[in-house]
């Protein structure tokens, strides 16, 4: 059995990892780290785990944890993992970080967009960006995985094939994205109170959202040139889900079949990416509680542009599910092990 430790187990993403590992035939959680609830039973924080998880929450001592587990998930705010990671830890165990600390290769860009000092830049180059469908070959032998963000996973997967094949102008990309409230984390914030969110939709982080450079960097690798995008996220009154609608100028006239063939080239053998039938638009409810990403596109012949669409569950494929998928790759297991979940429809 793979011994798992989770730092930040009582956040939404951390608790989702706990749930997934509970059903994983080859892994078990042996350390439920939670600074906020240290000493309290995990099941008292998440009562869906009553009589399923008996352990109490422990602290976030990563040095002690590294001696006891095969892999550590850090489901923590930005800046914490970079403070506690060190060579001794990585020599003993693998680390999958769900924060942004190791996603961006340019430390100056990270510090500019996140407004904090990076405490361990010596590990940035080593960290593998854990977008499984694109970087699985690099993931196999990695010690440190930078698990992608939810907005970025949906945006990149929706756009990547067309950028890679040169079918769209990489400097014309506009990404409009919607997220459920769990994407903001479990911390108490006035803006996320029920009465603030219910019956409302709003844009936020306009021109300044911190996932922007992450999307730009990964698409730049695909385009083999610098990519600059407009990215605008919105908060919608639902618990789970990411919906991305992206727009770009086509570089040439193309047919539906030609574009579909490009998506199939990259995704036809991917378990967790579903390219929908013609004219079907992705919906968050059809990927909820699953590790699937639904993708489709629509050519706008009138404007010479293409609309690329994607939907995923921000807590599963956008966080915990992708993290477990990365763990499976790192330990030589079939990628779907423990995360082969049927999406719910209601």
């Amino acid at each position: 059995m793979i011994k798992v430790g989770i730092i930040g187990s009582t956040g939404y993403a951390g608790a989702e990892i706990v749930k997934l590992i509970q059903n994983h035939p080859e892994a078990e959680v042996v350390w439920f780290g939670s600074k906020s609830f240290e000493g309290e039973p995990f099941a008292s924080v998440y009562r869906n785990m009553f009589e399923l998880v008996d352990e109490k929450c422990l602290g976030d001592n990563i040095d002690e944890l590294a001696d006891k587990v095969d892999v550590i998930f850090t489901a923590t705010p930005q800046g914490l993992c970079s403070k506690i990671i060190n060579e001794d830890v990585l020599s003993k165990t693998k680390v999958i970080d769900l924060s942004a600390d190791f996603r961006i290769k340019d430390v100056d860009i990270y510090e500019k967009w996140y407004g904090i000092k990076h405490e361990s830049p010596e590990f940035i180059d080593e960290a593998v960006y854990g977008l499984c469908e694109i970087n699985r070959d690099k993931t196999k032998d990695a010690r440190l995985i930078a698990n992608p963000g939810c907005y970025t996973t949906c945006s990149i997967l929706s756009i990547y094939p067309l950028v890679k094949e040169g079918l769209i102008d990489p400097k014309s990309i506009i990404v409009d994205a919607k997220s459920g409230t769990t994407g903001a984390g479990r911390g108490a914030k006035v803006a996320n109170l029920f009465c603030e969110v219910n019956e409302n939709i709003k844009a936020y982080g306009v021109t300044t959202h911190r996932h922007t450079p992450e999307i730009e960097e990964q698409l730049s690798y695909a385009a083999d040139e610098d990519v600059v995008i407009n990215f605008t996220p919105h908060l919608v009154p639902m618990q789970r889900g990411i919906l991305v609608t992206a727009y770009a100028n086509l570089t040439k006239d193309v047919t539906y079949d030609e574009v579909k063939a490009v998506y199939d080239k990259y995704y036809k053998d991917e378990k967790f990416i579903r390219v929908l039938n013609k004219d079907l638009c992705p919906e968050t409810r059809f990927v909820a509680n699953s590790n699937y990403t639904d993708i489709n596109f629509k050519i706008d012949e009138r404007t010479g542009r293409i609309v690329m669409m994607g939907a995923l569950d921000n807590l599963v494929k956008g966080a915990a599910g992708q993290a477990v998928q990365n763990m499976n790759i790192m330990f030589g297991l079939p990628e779907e092990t423990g995360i082969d979940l049927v999406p719910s429809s209601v």
Side-chain angles (χ1 to χ4, degrees):
M1 295 289 282
I2 301 168
K3 291 182 170 56
V4 172
I6 306 170
I7 296 178
S9 65
T10 54
Y12 288 136
E16 196 76 14
I17 295 172
V18 173
K19 185 176 74 172
L20 294 174
I21 298 297
Q22 282 294 111
N23 291 319
H24 198 292
E26 303 291 340
E28 60 178 342
V29 180
V30 300
W31 183 290
F32 297 79
S34 176
K35 190 172 182 180
S36 300
F37 296 96
E38 186 172 356
E40 298 184 30
F42 182 84
S44 71
V45 182
Y46 285 96
R47 287 188 292 177
N48 58 316
M49 292 297 172
F50 179 65
E51 294 188 349
L52 299 177
V53 174
D54 297 326
E55 286 80 5
K56 291 184 178 181
C57 295
L58 304 173
D60 56 8
N61 187 333
I62 196 169
D63 296 296
E64 179 184 356
L65 176 55
D67 291 322
K68 299 181 177 181
V69 299
D70 302 304
V71 60
I72 298 171
F73 294 94
T74 51
T76 55
Q78 331 302 336
L80 179 62
C81 188
S82 72
K83 287 181 180 178
I84 63 178
I85 200 78
N86 56 61
E87 180 59 36
D88 185 56
V89 168
L90 290 175
S91 70
K92 297 175 181 177
T93 188
K94 300 178 185 295
V95 175
I96 300 174
D97 179 31
L98 278 73
S99 81
D101 285 359
F102 297 98
R103 295 176 188 160
I104 298 171
K105 294 302 182 184
D106 189 324
V107 68
D108 292 332
I109 291 177
Y110 170 87
E111 292 179 349
K112 174 185 176 181
W113 283 81
Y114 284 87
I116 55 178
K117 179 177 174 56
H118 200 292
E119 299 292 341
S120 52
E122 66 271 23
F123 297 114
I124 291 177
D125 286 341
E126 175 183 351
V128 172
Y129 189 75
L131 191 53
C132 302
E133 288 75 15
I134 294 172
N135 285 335
R136 64 166 55 87
D137 289 342
K138 298 178 182 178
T139 300
K140 293 176 183 177
D141 300 318
R143 301 190 302 171
L144 176 60
I145 295 291
N147 206 65
C150 50
Y151 277 132
T152 53
T153 295
C154 198
S155 299
I156 294 166
L157 290 176
S158 300
I159 300 168
Y160 179 87
L162 302 192
V163 171
K164 187 74 172 176
E165 294 295 316
L167 290 187
I168 58 176
D169 176 357
K171 289 183 169 56
S172 69
I173 299 170
I174 298 171
V175 179
D176 180 295
K178 314 288 193 298
S179 174
T181 57
T182 52
R186 197 164 183 253
K189 303 168 189 173
V190 170
N192 296 336
L193 293 173
F194 176 82
C195 289
E196 304 294 322
V197 174
N198 189 46
E199 297 295 332
N200 188 38
I201 182 171
K202 64 179 180 181
Y204 67 98
V206 180
T207 76
T208 63
H209 194 277
R210 298 179 296 184
H211 281 180
T212 303
E214 186 181 336
I215 300 170
E216 290 179 341
E217 182 174 287
Q218 296 302 316
L219 292 181
S220 294
Y221 295 146
D224 199 25
E225 64 178 277
D226 289 340
V227 173
V228 178
I229 68 170
N230 285 117
F231 173 69
T232 305
H234 301 75
L235 184 67
V236 297
M238 62 184 184
Q239 292 180 316
R240 293 171 174 262
I242 296 284
L243 180 70
V244 160
T245 310
Y247 311 85
N249 293 333
L250 288 162
T251 56
K252 63 179 182 179
D253 291 337
V254 291
T255 65
Y256 168 85
D257 289 335
E258 288 172 330
V259 177
K260 180 64 162 57
V262 169
Y263 277 103
D264 287 344
K265 173 182 175 180
Y266 288 88
Y267 296 147
K268 68 177 180 179
D269 295 323
E270 293 295 343
K271 166 70 177 178
F272 292 118
I273 299 183
R274 306 187 299 192
V275 180
L276 303 180
N277 292 332
K278 188 176 182 180
D279 294 330
L280 290 179
C281 296
E283 299 183 36
T284 57
R285 70 181 180 128
F286 293 131
V287 291
N289 298 291
S290 84
N291 202 54
Y292 286 97
T293 301
D294 282 357
I295 291 173
N296 216 342
F297 64 91
K298 187 80 173 181
I299 299 168
D300 188 350
E301 295 177 356
R302 184 180 64 86
T303 61
R305 295 174 67 82
I306 190 167
V307 182
M308 299 153 284
M309 300 166 282
L312 55 72
D313 186 310
N314 60 292
L315 291 181
V316 190
K317 183 58 174 173
Q322 183 145 254
V324 174
Q325 189 177 353
N326 274 307
M327 180 193 77
N328 290 339
I329 295 171
M330 297 168 88
F331 287 90
L333 299 173
E335 288 184 35
E336 67 271 18
T337 307
I339 53 172
D340 193 6
L341 308 169
V342 177
S344 58
S345 59
V346 292

